[in-house]
Amino acid sequence: MGCCYSSENETTEQDSDESKPLIPPPNPVSKPPNGTDWMPTNVPSARTDEQALLTSILTKTAQNIIDVSAADSVMMEQHEYMDKARQYSTKLAVLSNSLPQKKALALPSLTSQPHQVLASDLVPYSDVQQVSKIAAYACSAISQIKVDAKEELVVQFAIP
Amino acid sequence: MESTLEQHLDDTMKNPAIVGVLCTDQQGHNLGCRGSLSDEHGGVVSVLAKQAAALSRDLTDSPTVCLESESGNILVRTHGTITVAVHKIAS
């Protein structure tokens, strides 16, 4: 099998990825984290004057990113795993309460007593006849809606 | 042009036992509704009627779908290209 982890070629890049918390520290964020995304992998490790600027960009991005490329997840202990699972589910519960619920597309609620409904009288045939009359009348009313052509759709431009 | 249909829906609602009426086309687009039935029921109503019609090989036979409950019935029927649903309570 291949090698899952090696400590020989450790870079500062990999270090920062590993020790970065999966859930950002609790500070007032205006919007929820928006799913998985990839960290820019081309962060130069050279200690130049731009390091401070890069760090500020990184922290800003880190607030909006959930990093799932954690290399040490295989070595997480059971209690850590359970803790993280609990953290995620509470966060999900908080977010799902704030998200707008999808409106249930259902006919008006019918009954909680199915046996009572099934045992009751049949739908009267007069009702069925009434509905078919309503439908027939509605169909003839609909047929009155038609295109009323007032002028030609295609006209010739009078080019002198 | 739609005034005839609107008037017909209003007349239907005058019946005290009827609490909702809905007209849709074959794609479930709402053509007019009153009372307890509204826009969001258009799709369900048109599909129910279409599936019920598929039960019979006789193309001239238009079935009436009845959804029964303790408080009332919803009857759905297709005529031509439109489907009408009527919510009628027990009187």
Side-chain angles (χ1 to χ4, degrees):
Chain A
M1 294 284 206
C3 166
C4 291
Y5 178 78
S6 163
S7 61
E8 276 185 3
N9 303 326
E10 218 167 76
T11 64
T12 50
E13 225 179 280
Q14 201 175 348
D15 251 346
S16 71
D17 277 1
E18 281 175 13
S19 56
K20 191 199 311 297
L22 284 178
I23 293 179
N27 44 4
V29 282
S30 55
K31 54 180 174 145
N34 47 0
T36 60
D37 205 339
W38 294 107
M39 285 286 293
T41 52
N42 304 336
V43 175
S45 55
R47 305 282 175 198
T48 64
D49 290 334
E50 288 97 9
Q51 188 65 32
L53 187 60
L54 282 166
T55 323
S56 68
I57 294 173
L58 274 177
T59 45
K60 262 188 241 160
T61 328
Q63 284 186 354
N64 296 332
I65 283 176
I66 301 172
D67 181 13
V68 296
S69 62
D72 64 348
S73 59
V74 212
M75 289 153 62
M76 239 203 294
E77 294 181 28
Q78 180 69 8
H79 69 271
E80 280 182 33
Y81 174 77
M82 297 301 291
D83 276 345
K84 284 227 150 63
R86 212 177 309 123
Q87 261 183 314
Y88 285 139
S89 50
T90 42
K91 209 161 168 69
L92 261 178
V94 164
L95 287 176
S96 65
N97 284 342
S98 58
L99 286 173
Q101 297 294 337
K102 185 176 171 209
K103 208 164 154 195
L105 297 172
L107 289 174
S109 70
L110 294 184
T111 182
S112 54
Q113 308 267 354
H115 38 272
Q116 184 186 333
V117 173
L118 287 168
S120 64
D121 295 339
L122 294 174
V123 174
Y125 190 61
S126 58
D127 281 0
V128 177
Q129 283 176 313
Q130 183 184 21
V131 169
S132 46
K133 228 187 300 181
I134 293 171
Y137 203 94
C139 186
S140 67
I142 290 282
S143 64
Q144 295 193 8
I145 300 175
K146 47 178 170 280
V147 175
D148 183 16
K150 289 234 159 56
E151 49 191 43
E152 292 287 324
L153 276 175
V154 181
V155 295
Q156 297 289 336
F157 282 122
I159 301 172
Chain B
M1 286 180 208
E2 71 282 4
S3 55
T4 315
L5 176 66
E6 297 291 318
Q7 186 58 48
H8 174 54
L9 292 176
D10 289 333
D11 291 341
T12 309
M13 287 299 288
K14 283 192 188 134
N15 187 326
I18 295 179
V19 295
V21 63
L22 169 73
C23 279
T24 74
D25 69 357
Q26 287 172 318
Q27 273 81 39
H29 168 59
N30 175 25
L31 299 168
C33 61
R34 298 282 187 277
S36 60
L37 297 175
S38 55
D39 268 355
E40 66 231 12
H41 307 121
V44 175
V45 158
S46 66
V47 166
L48 274 177
K50 212 184 297 190
Q51 296 299 322
L55 287 172
S56 165
R57 287 192 179 271
D58 186 1
L59 292 169
T60 58
D61 183 19
S62 172
T64 304
V65 179
C66 300
L67 301 168
E68 298 181 44
S69 79
E70 63 211 4
S71 59
N73 303 331
I74 298 172
L75 295 107
V76 182
R77 189 173 171 106
T78 302
H79 196 283
T81 56
I82 67 151
T83 302
V84 170
V86 175
H87 186 188
K88 204 167 165 165
I89 55 170
S91 51

